C-alpha cells in the first residue's frame, strides 16, 4: 500500500474519530472555520477561543436603531440585531434591506474571531416589514383554512422573501392559543384550541426547510412561551392564572410540536404564570422547555422583556440575574445593550451567574449560526430578491385568502353574487389595503390607507363585475340595486393597543353605513374584516349574508372569489363566536350558547 494512500486512510480514520471532545487538529486555520468539521467540534473550538466579553456580546440582540453605526457591532461584539416592527431602512426596498444587512454583517465579521451576526425580524404574515413583499393572511385566517400544507408553503415563500433581504431569523410563528378574544393579539393566533397551532406548526418546516443552511431557509421562532393567550381578561402581557394541568393541556402542546419539528428558537412571553413573570420562569424554561421537551436551540427574550420583570422601567442586576439563570440565552435589549453587558459581566465575576450558564447560552447561539451556514455564507443571497412579491407568492396568498374566508350566513342564497347583478359596495374596509392587512404591516401597528401594493377587496369585486357602485359611507344606495356589500370591521392595531376590555362591537362609522343600507331595503351582505369575532348579535339579523374575512393581506381578490362563487367557501371558525362581549372568554367545550360555534362554516349548495 503506497505511503500516500496509507496516509490518506490514516487521516480519514482520524477525521472520522473527531468528536466534540477531540482538540482541534492542526490545520490551515482555526478548526471552527473548517466547514467539514462537525458543528459540535466547531462550537467547542470557537468557545475555547472566546473571551468573557466575546461571550457576553454574543448574547445581546440590539435593535438596529440602537447602534450608532455598524462599528458598534464590531466593538460590542454583538451576536445579533433586529428590526422591530417599525424599524425599516429608508427607502424601504428589498435592496436597501439587503445592503443594510450586509453592512452590519461585515462589521460583525470584522471582530477578532469573525463571528457572523444573526438578524431577526417579525415576518409574521409574509415579510411584512418590506414594502412590496407578499402579505399573507394573519394566522387566525390561516387557522380558519384548516390547511397545514398550505401554511407550510406560506412558510417557505416567506422564508425566500426574508432571505432575499439577507435576514436569517424570523420571529414567527406565534403558537399562542387565544382563549379570550379581548386579547389584542388574537389575530396572531391560529385559534382557541392547541390542536390548531399544533397542526399549523408546519409553517416552521416551511421557514427552516430540511436544513437551516439550505438556500432560502431562515430560523423560525416559536412564540411566546408560554400561555400568552390565556391571561385573565385577555389582557396583553397579563397574568395567566391557571393550573399547571391546564397550562400543559392548552398552551404547551404547540411548543412541543415546534421543538419536535426542530424549531431554532423560542421567544419568551411578557406574560406571567400565576404571578411569576415568564422572563424569570426558571421552572418552565429550564426544567420544562430545555430538559423535559429537550429544546436545544436559542431561548430569546422579548423586546425589553427583562426590563418588565419588576414592572419598572429599565433592568436591574436582579432582573438580569433572574432572567439569565432562568434560561434565557439571548437578550433582546434594543438600546441599553452595553449596560446589560456590563451588568452581566459583574454578575459573572460575583458568581451570581455561573460561567457555565454563559457557555451554555453561547453553545446554543453558535450552534444555530453554524447550522445556518453563516460562517460560510454570511452575506445576502441575492438570488432570492426576485421572489419578493413574486406572482407565484401572490398566487399562493390569493389561495390562502380564499381558503380562510368563513361563510356564516346566507339567507335565500343571496350568495354567491351574480356577476351580471347591480351591486352596491360600501364600508370603510372595502378599498383599504392597510385595514385589510392589519397590524405588523410596514409598521408595528399597521395603518389605514394604501400602505402596500396589492388588491383591495373592492378591486377584486370590480374585476368580477362591471356593474359595481362604491360609496364608502353608503350614500346613494337605492332600490335599483340587487344587493349591497358592506365591507366593515376593524382598523389596524398590534399588541396592547388591540386589547378590548370594554365593548367589542362595530364602530360608529360602520353602524351608520349599515343603517343606510338597512333603510334602503336592499339585501345586504356583510364582509367583516377583523382580527377576531366582534359583538354583532344585535345587527346580524338585518343582514342577508355574512362572511368573516379576517385580515386577508395584499391579495383581497380572494375575498371576491368567494363572494362570486369562483371559490366555494371551505373556511371554518377557529374561534367560538360570542353572543355578547360579556361571554368572554368563551371557547369550545364551555357548553355555553355561542352565536356561531367553533368549527362553523357554510358552503354554497351545488345548485346556485
Ligand atoms: C414585540 C412582540 C414580539 C416581537 C418582538 C420584536 O413586542 O411581543 O412578538 O417578536 O417585540 O419585534
Amino acid at each position: 500500500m503506497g505511503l500516500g494512500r496509507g496516509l490518506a486512510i490514516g487521516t480519514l480514520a482520524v477525521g472520522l474519530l473527531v468528536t466534540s471532545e477531540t482538540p482541534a487538529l492542526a490545520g490551515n486555520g482555526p478548526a471552527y472555520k473548517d466547514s467539514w468539521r462537525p458543528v459540535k467540534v466547531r462550537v467547542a473550538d470557537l468557545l475555547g477561543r472566546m473571551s468573557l466579553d466575546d461571550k457576553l456580546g454574543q448574547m445581546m440582540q440590539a435593535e438596529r436603531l440602537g447602534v450608532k453605526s455598524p462599528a458598534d457591532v464590531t466593538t460590542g461584539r454583538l451576536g445579533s440585531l433586529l428590526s422591530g416592527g417599525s424599524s425599516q431602512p429608508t427607502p424601504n426596498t428589498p435592496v436597501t434591506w439587503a445592503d443594510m444587512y450586509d453592512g452590519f454583517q461585515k462589521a460583525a465579521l470584522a471582530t477578532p474571531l469573525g463571528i457572523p451576526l444573526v438578524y431577526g425580524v417579525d415576518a409574521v404574515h409574509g415579510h411584512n416589514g418590506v414594502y412590496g413583499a407578499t402579505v399573507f393572511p394573519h394566522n387566525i385566517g390561516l387557522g380558519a383554512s384548516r390547511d397545514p400544507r398550505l401554511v407550510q408553503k406560506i412558510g417557505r415563500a416567506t422564508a425566500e422573501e426574508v432571505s432575499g433581504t439577507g435576514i436569517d431569523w424570523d420571529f414567527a410563528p406565534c403558537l399562542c392559543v387565544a382563549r379570550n378574544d379581548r386579547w389584542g393579539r388574537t389575530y396572531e393566533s391560529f385559534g382557541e384550541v392547541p390542536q390548531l397551532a399544533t397542526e399549523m406548526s408546519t409553517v416552521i418546516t416551511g421557514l427552516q426547510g430540511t436544513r437551516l443552511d439550505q438556500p432560502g431557509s431562515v430560523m423560525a421562532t416559536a412564540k411566546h412561551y408560554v400561555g400568552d393567550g390565556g391571561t385573565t381578561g385577555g389582557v396583553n402581557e397579563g397574568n395567566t392564572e391557571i393550573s399547571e394541568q391546564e397550562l400543559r393541556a392548552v398552551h404547551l402542546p404547540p411548543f412541543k410540536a415546534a421543538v419536535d419539528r426542530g424549531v431554532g428558537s423560542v421567544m419568551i412571553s411578557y406574560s406571567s404564570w400565576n404571578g411569576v413573570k415568564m422572563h424569570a420562569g426558571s421552572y418552565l424554561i429550564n426544567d420544562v422547555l430545555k430538559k423535559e421537551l429537550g429544546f436545544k436551540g436559542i431561548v430569546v427574550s422579548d423586546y425589553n422583556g427583562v426590563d418588565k420583570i419588576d414592572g419598572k422601567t429599565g433592568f436591574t442586576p436582579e432582573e438580569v440575574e433572574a432572567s439569565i439563570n432562568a434560561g434565557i440565552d439571548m437578550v433582546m435589549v434594543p438600546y441599553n445593550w452595553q449596560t446589560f453587558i456590563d451588568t452581566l459581566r459583574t454578575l459573572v465575576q460575583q458568581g451570581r451567574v455561573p460561567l457555565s450558564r454563559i457557555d451554555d447560552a453561547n453553545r446554543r447561539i453558535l450552534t444555530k449560526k453554524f447550522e445556518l451556514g453563516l460562517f460560510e455564507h454570511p452575506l445576502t443571497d441575492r438570488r432570492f430578491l426576485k421572489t419578493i412579491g413574486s406572482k407565484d407568492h401572490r398566487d399562493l396568498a390569493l389561495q390562502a385568502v380564499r381558503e380562510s374566508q368563513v361563510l356564516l350566513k346566507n339567507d335565500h342564497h343571496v350568495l354567491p353574487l351574480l356577476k351580471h347583478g347591480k351591486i352596491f359596495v360600501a364600508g370603510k374596509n372595502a378599498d383599504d389595503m392597510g385595514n385589510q392587512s392589519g397590524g405588523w404591516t410596514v409598521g408595528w401597528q399597521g395603518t389605514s390607507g394604501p400602505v402596500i401594493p396589492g388588491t383591495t377587496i373592492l378591486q377584486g369585486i370590480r374585476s368580477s363585475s362591471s356593474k359595481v357602485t362604491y360609496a364608502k359611507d353608503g350614500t346613494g344606495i337605492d332600490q335599483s340595486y340587487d344587493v349591497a356589500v358592506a365591507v366593515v370591521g376593524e382598523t389596524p392595531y398590534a399588541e396592547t393597543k388591540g386589547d378590548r376590555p370594554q365593548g367589542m362591537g362595530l364602530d360608529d362609522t360602520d353602524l351608520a353605513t349599515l343603517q343606510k343600507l338597512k333603510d334602503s331595503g336592499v339585501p345586504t351582505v356583510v364582509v367583516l374584516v377583523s382580527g377576531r369575532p366582534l359583538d354583532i348579535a344585535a345587527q346580524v339579523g338585518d343582514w342577508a349574508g355574512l362572511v368573516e374575512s379576517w385580515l386577508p393581506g395584499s391579495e383581497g381578490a380572494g375575498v371576491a372569489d368567494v363572494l362570486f362563487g369562483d371559490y366555494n367557501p371551505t373556511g371554518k371558525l377557529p374561534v367560538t363566536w360570542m353572543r355578547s362581549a360579556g361571554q368572554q372568554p368563551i371557547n369550545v367545550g364551555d357548553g355555553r350558547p355561542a352565536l356561531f360555534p367553533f368549527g362553523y362554516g357554510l358552503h354554497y349548495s351545488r345548485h346556485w
Side-chain angles (χ1 to χ4, degrees):
M1 181 186 293
L3 176 63
R5 191 159 171 234
L7 186 63
I9 289 174
T11 305
L12 177 64
V14 169
L16 291 176
L17 291 175
V18 170
T19 69
S20 59
E21 307 311 320
T22 308
L25 295 174
N28 297 332
Y32 74 90
K33 293 196 173 181
D34 293 338
S35 62
W36 52 271
R37 292 180 190 273
V39 166
K40 274 190 172 183
V41 171
R42 301 179 75 182
V43 169
D45 178 65
L46 178 51
L47 196 63
R49 300 170 187 269
M50 293 169 73
S51 68
L52 178 57
D53 275 7
D54 286 326
K55 295 175 183 178
L56 299 180
Q58 274 304 301
M59 296 170 67
M60 298 301 115
Q61 180 176 64
E63 161 62 55
R64 74 177 184 104
L65 297 172
V67 292
K68 290 187 290 296
S69 75
D72 276 357
V73 173
T74 311
T75 53
R77 303 183 181 189
L78 297 178
S80 181
L81 291 176
L82 83 139
S83 276
S86 297
S87 175
Q88 288 95 24
T90 304
N92 182 352
T93 70
V95 170
T96 54
W97 274 85
D99 293 345
M100 173 190 76
Y101 174 89
D102 287 351
F104 284 124
Q105 190 63 284
K106 287 170 184 168
L109 297 173
T111 52
L113 293 168
I115 303 173
L117 65 74
V118 61
Y119 196 114
V121 294
D122 293 278
V124 296
H125 61 140
H127 197 0
N128 40 258
V130 176
Y131 183 84
T134 310
V135 177
F136 293 91
H138 270 294
N139 285 354
I140 194 165
L142 300 181
S145 78
R146 300 299 201 276
D147 189 344
R149 287 165 50 85
L150 170 82
V151 170
Q152 181 165 329
K153 290 175 185 171
I154 289 172
R156 191 71 218 156
T158 301
E160 290 178 352
E161 298 199 17
V162 170
S163 296
T165 61
I167 309 298
D168 28 51
W169 187 356
D170 186 3
F171 302 136
C174 186
L175 294 178
C176 42
V177 180
R179 303 292 287 171
N180 189 319
D181 302 339
R182 292 183 182 280
W183 187 38
R185 308 193 75 163
T186 296
Y187 68 80
E188 296 185 64
S189 168
F190 288 106
E192 68 185 26
V193 295
Q195 291 82 352
L196 279 175
T198 297
E199 286 166 17
M200 302 306 172
S201 63
T202 51
V203 66
I204 293 166
T205 303
L207 287 166
Q208 299 193 155
T210 47
R211 291 174 56 93
L212 278 176
D213 63 358
Q214 78 182 68
S217 287
V218 296
M219 181 164 69
T221 309
K223 71 181 187 182
H224 310 82
Y225 185 83
V226 65
D228 53 344
T231 62
T232 302
V235 173
N236 190 47
E237 305 185 19
N239 191 12
T240 300
E241 298 172 280
I242 57 177
S243 67
E244 179 165 352
Q245 181 189 3
E246 184 175 347
L247 187 77
R248 283 177 172 273
V250 174
H251 300 281
L252 195 61
F255 288 91
K256 179 179 184 336
V259 172
D260 293 347
R261 283 184 180 274
V263 71
S265 64
V266 171
M267 186 182 293
I268 301 304
S269 175
Y270 286 127
S271 58
S272 304
W273 178 48
N274 293 334
V276 177
K277 281 282 184 181
M278 276 308 306
H279 276 74
S282 177
Y283 168 64
L284 287 172
I285 301 173
N286 284 324
D287 298 340
V288 176
L289 178 62
K290 290 187 172 180
K291 291 194 184 90
E292 183 182 323
L293 297 187
F295 178 61
K296 298 286 187 278
I298 301 169
V299 173
V300 62
S301 80
D302 203 334
Y303 195 98
N304 280 329
V306 174
D307 302 21
K308 297 186 176 187
I309 291 173
D310 66 3
K312 300 184 189 113
T313 306
F315 49 79
T316 62
E318 291 67 31
E319 287 175 310
V320 174
E321 178 184 7
S323 60
I324 302 301
N325 287 337
I328 288 179
D329 303 309
M330 182 169 279
V331 188
M332 197 182 293
V333 48
Y335 296 90
N336 299 323
W337 47 271
Q338 188 58 63
T339 306
F340 201 105
I341 289 172
D342 296 341
T343 305
L344 186 50
R345 185 191 304 112
T346 302
L347 290 168
V348 172
Q349 289 163 346
Q350 293 170 342
R352 291 167 61 181
V353 173
L355 184 58
S356 58
R357 174 76 273 271
I358 302 299
D359 286 347
D360 172 51
N362 272 266
R363 279 193 200 91
R364 289 168 179 266
I365 293 165
L366 297 174
T367 296
K368 289 306 161 192
K369 290 186 173 183
F370 282 118
E371 289 178 356
L372 278 162
L374 289 174
F375 284 79
E376 283 71 47
H377 307 288
L379 302 181
T380 303
D381 184 345
R382 294 184 186 232
R383 293 175 297 176
F384 289 96
L385 276 170
K386 61 177 177 295
T387 70
I388 298 171
S390 67
K391 183 176 184 315
D392 284 353
H393 288 180
R394 289 185 186 278
D395 287 349
L396 177 63
L398 184 67
Q399 182 58 21
V401 174
R402 291 179 184 130
E403 293 190 31
S404 62
Q405 304 304 296
V406 183
L407 177 60
L408 295 171
K409 187 176 183 183
N410 189 17
D411 288 355
H412 315 301
H413 302 294
V414 66
L415 289 171
L417 301 175
L418 299 175
K419 293 190 176 181
H420 58 271
K422 190 177 179 189
I423 301 168
F424 190 97
V425 179
K428 71 173 186 285
N429 289 355
D431 197 30
D432 192 308
M433 285 305 296
N435 288 2
Q436 73 185 48
S437 299
W440 298 102
T441 307
V442 188
W444 176 42
Q445 292 293 318
T447 184
S448 301
V451 291
I452 57 170
T455 307
T456 65
I457 294 167
L458 173 66
Q459 289 168 333
I461 294 172
R462 285 195 192 283
S463 66
S464 290
S465 167
S466 57
K467 295 182 180 175
V468 176
T469 302
Y470 170 59
K472 193 181 213 178
D473 66 358
T475 300
I477 181 70
D478 63 34
Q479 288 284 349
S480 71
Y481 291 95
D482 298 311
V483 65
V485 179
V487 188
V488 296
E490 295 187 304
T491 52
Y493 55 82
E495 301 191 45
T496 303
K497 288 190 177 176
D499 281 3
R500 291 288 179 278
Q502 305 300 329
M504 297 178 70
L506 295 167
D507 66 22
D508 291 343
T509 302
D510 289 341
L511 291 172
T513 302
L514 289 165
Q515 188 60 51
K516 277 202 187 79
L517 302 181
K518 179 184 178 183
D519 293 346
S520 74
V522 175
T524 297
V525 170
V526 169
V527 176
L528 204 46
V529 174
S530 63
R532 62 184 132 205
L534 297 179
D535 187 347
I536 56 171
Q539 292 87 25
V540 69
D542 298 331
W543 306 339
L546 172 60
V547 174
E548 174 56 47
S549 189
W550 311 111
L551 297 170
S554 60
E555 308 313 309
V559 178
D561 289 347
V562 167
L563 294 175
F564 286 99
D566 291 329
Y567 181 84
N568 194 338
T570 52
K572 298 187 183 326
L573 285 182
V575 288
T576 301
W577 201 293
M578 67 194 129
R579 281 191 179 282
S580 73
Q583 285 188 307
Q584 292 297 340
I586 179 170
N587 296 295
V588 60
D590 284 354
R592 290 189 289 147
L595 186 64
F596 303 108
F598 174 86
Y600 186 80
L602 302 173
H603 61 274
Y604 300 138
S605 54
R606 285 288 158 233
H607 54 276
W608 64 71

